[in-house]
Amino acid sequence: MAGRSAAAARAGVAGRQHPAGRGRTVSLFQQLGWDQDLRGDGGVRKKELRSGSGGIVPATASVAVWYSGYLEGLDEPFCTNRNRKFPELMKLGKDITLQGLIVGLLSMKKGEVARFVFMPDYAYGQRGCPPLIPQNATVMFTVELLDFLDTEESDAFFELTTEQQDTFPLQKVLRVADTEREFGNYLFRGQHFSLAKDRYKNAISILGRNPSSDAEQCQINAAKLLVLLNLSITYLKLERPDRALAYGEKALEIDQRNAKALFRCGQACLCMTEYTKAWDFLTRAQRIQPFNHSINNELKKLARYYKDYLTKEKEMCCRMFTHLQTNDQ
């Protein structure tokens, strides 16, 4: 990410340098027009290109952004992640260290697109980042904020010892587990199923504490159920139906009438050609949600697969019978 080092600044470019950059002014950037002076000193200026929604990014967040950084007078970015299929979640102050970019992100909402100009003190300083970025360079960034997660409590939790984690208040533990689940959901949406699985398992581990009351057990079970369902579908995506079935059955231990858990178990059994078990799970799910299109379509698929299976079994039996008759003659 921009701001870490010269190598990081060079990421995403083919080595094009700013020609004779030391003597340039910011006149071209100024001509673009700017809505806001975020620091009051002209160091970080912003132009909102598309409005976002919801709350503003907190300082303790991890963000998913598309970004491109430009030097004045060049059309090609000196750094960008637009060549990636799906941007990772990056922690402000740790993965993102360019001061101007942090200031800019802290003014944004989810879905917003904005253009920023950073003066040298908020960018790469007096030295620049040679050979790519010249001394005292003013830079421009276009940024699209795709998503963000506030990881303050999660960060604090993982800095504790195991003994300290065991005494962490339950409500905070639940929020930490939910943050891990949200991380997993983000990775799942980007089809990073193995990484998503690891986040979900981390959430299950966090929820493994012993409850002090039935009320606490209910809260823990409710949180676990969501993660177990996520693990079940993730293992289906990873083509591990045996593990998908195992996590689906764990979800049913918490809620035996959970239609989604029954559906996942049915899908897993169908993948493993265990048609009788698949029928049992799917018809139980259908009784709970009779108008659910996904469940009904899966039952139709099961019927087709089972019909094909019976046809192949019949053909195999016929061939065996014919072979036996031939041998008897």
Side-chain angles (χ1 to χ4, degrees), residues 127-262:
R127 294 185 178 182
C129 198
L132 189 66
I133 299 171
Q135 297 176 352
N136 289 313
T138 297
V139 298
M140 183 183 74
F141 271 74
T142 58
V143 180
E144 178 177 356
L145 179 61
L146 303 175
D147 206 350
F148 68 88
L149 285 174
D150 188 351
T151 56
E152 181 177 15
E153 286 186 329
S154 181
D155 295 338
F157 180 82
F158 290 118
E159 288 177 0
L160 300 176
T161 65
T162 303
E163 293 76 13
Q164 290 172 325
Q165 289 179 358
D166 290 338
T167 62
F168 213 58
L170 177 62
Q171 295 306 314
K172 291 188 175 183
V173 169
L174 294 174
R175 286 195 291 269
V176 170
D178 194 56
T179 298
E180 289 298 295
R181 185 177 67 86
E182 288 294 335
F183 259 108
N185 290 348
Y186 179 79
L187 292 165
F188 184 94
R189 290 193 294 270
Q191 301 185 359
H192 298 295
F193 301 122
S194 184
L195 294 175
K197 174 256 300 177
D198 293 339
R199 286 289 187 174
Y200 294 143
K201 284 190 172 182
N202 200 21
I204 287 292
S205 176
I206 293 167
L207 294 168
R209 67 187 293 165
N210 294 320
S212 60
S213 66
D214 290 342
E216 283 197 359
Q217 184 65 69
C218 287
Q219 293 181 74
I220 292 171
N221 283 346
K224 274 186 176 180
L225 181 61
L226 295 175
V227 184
L228 291 169
L229 291 171
N230 287 345
L231 276 166
S232 185
I233 190 174
T234 301
Y235 272 110
L236 283 173
K237 295 293 186 179
L238 290 169
E239 299 182 352
R240 289 288 309 278
D242 57 327
R243 301 302 299 153
L245 177 60
Y247 281 108
E249 290 178 327
K250 284 181 181 291
L252 290 173
E253 291 175 8
I254 296 174
D255 180 4
Q256 62 181 349
R257 285 183 54 80
N258 188 283
K260 189 172 288 187
L262 290 166

Side-chain angles (χ1 to χ4, degrees), residues 5-303:
S5 63
R10 287 193 292 271
V13 298
R16 292 186 63 181
Q17 298 184 34
H18 191 296
R22 296 185 185 183
R24 282 194 171 272
T25 68
V26 296
S27 57
L28 293 178
F29 287 158
Q30 288 174 335
Q31 290 173 15
L32 295 173
W34 307 97
D35 296 330
Q36 302 173 55
D37 179 356
L38 297 182
R39 299 294 287 180
D41 59 1
V44 180
R45 286 171 288 163
K46 175 181 178 180
K47 172 72 173 179
E48 185 179 290
L49 304 179
R50 187 181 73 200
S51 298
S53 60
I56 293 174
V57 174
T60 51
S62 292
V63 299
V65 296
W66 292 124
Y67 67 87
S68 295
Y70 297 87
L71 291 167
E72 192 173 11
L74 295 181
D75 294 330
E76 294 297 319
F78 65 85
C79 71
T80 185
N81 70 342
R82 285 283 182 177
N83 54 347
R84 297 182 183 180
K85 184 178 179 181
F86 197 74
E88 61 182 305
L89 281 162
M90 296 176 288
K91 180 72 177 175
L92 294 178
K94 180 180 178 181
D95 303 310
I96 298 177
T97 57
L98 194 69
Q99 188 179 1
L101 192 53
I102 293 174
V103 171
L105 285 165
L106 293 177
S107 73
M108 297 184 73
K109 299 178 180 179
K110 184 176 177 180
E112 182 179 339
V113 179
R115 185 170 61 216
F116 300 94
V117 63
F118 308 142
M119 298 297 285
D121 286 347
Y122 291 90
Y124 298 93
Q126 295 181 359
R127 294 185 178 182
C129 198
L132 189 66
I133 299 171
Q135 297 176 352
N136 289 313
T138 297
V139 298
M140 183 183 74
F141 271 74
T142 58
V143 180
E144 178 177 356
L145 179 61
L146 303 175
D147 206 350
F148 68 88
L149 285 174
D150 188 351
T151 56
E152 181 177 15
E153 286 186 329
S154 181
D155 295 338
F157 180 82
F158 290 118
E159 288 177 0
L160 300 176
T161 65
T162 303
E163 293 76 13
Q164 290 172 325
Q165 289 179 358
D166 290 338
T167 62
F168 213 58
L170 177 62
Q171 295 306 314
K172 291 188 175 183
V173 169
L174 294 174
R175 286 195 291 269
V176 170
D178 194 56
T179 298
E180 289 298 295
R181 185 177 67 86
E182 288 294 335
F183 259 108
N185 290 348
Y186 179 79
L187 292 165
F188 184 94
R189 290 193 294 270
Q191 301 185 359
H192 298 295
F193 301 122
S194 184
L195 294 175
K197 174 256 300 177
D198 293 339
R199 286 289 187 174
Y200 294 143
K201 284 190 172 182
N202 200 21
I204 287 292
S205 176
I206 293 167
L207 294 168
R209 67 187 293 165
N210 294 320
S212 60
S213 66
D214 290 342
E216 283 197 359
Q217 184 65 69
C218 287
Q219 293 181 74
I220 292 171
N221 283 346
K224 274 186 176 180
L225 181 61
L226 295 175
V227 184
L228 291 169
L229 291 171
N230 287 345
L231 276 166
S232 185
I233 190 174
T234 301
Y235 272 110
L236 283 173
K237 295 293 186 179
L238 290 169
E239 299 182 352
R240 289 288 309 278
D242 57 327
R243 301 302 299 153
L245 177 60
Y247 281 108
E249 290 178 327
K250 284 181 181 291
L252 290 173
E253 291 175 8
I254 296 174
D255 180 4
Q256 62 181 349
R257 285 183 54 80
N258 188 283
K260 189 172 288 187
L262 290 166
F263 177 58
R264 298 289 177 236
C265 289
Q267 286 181 299
C269 290
L270 179 55
C271 290
M272 294 187 289
T273 67
E274 295 184 9
Y275 298 125
T276 301
K277 289 181 67 175
W279 179 262
D280 177 61
F281 282 121
L282 291 172
T283 52
R284 286 164 61 191
Q286 188 187 50
R287 284 195 292 271
I288 298 167
Q289 294 185 1
F291 304 109
N292 186 299
H293 293 297
S294 296
I295 295 172
N296 292 331
N297 288 337
E298 201 72 9
L299 278 166
K300 291 176 183 177
K301 184 196 296 186
L302 172 60

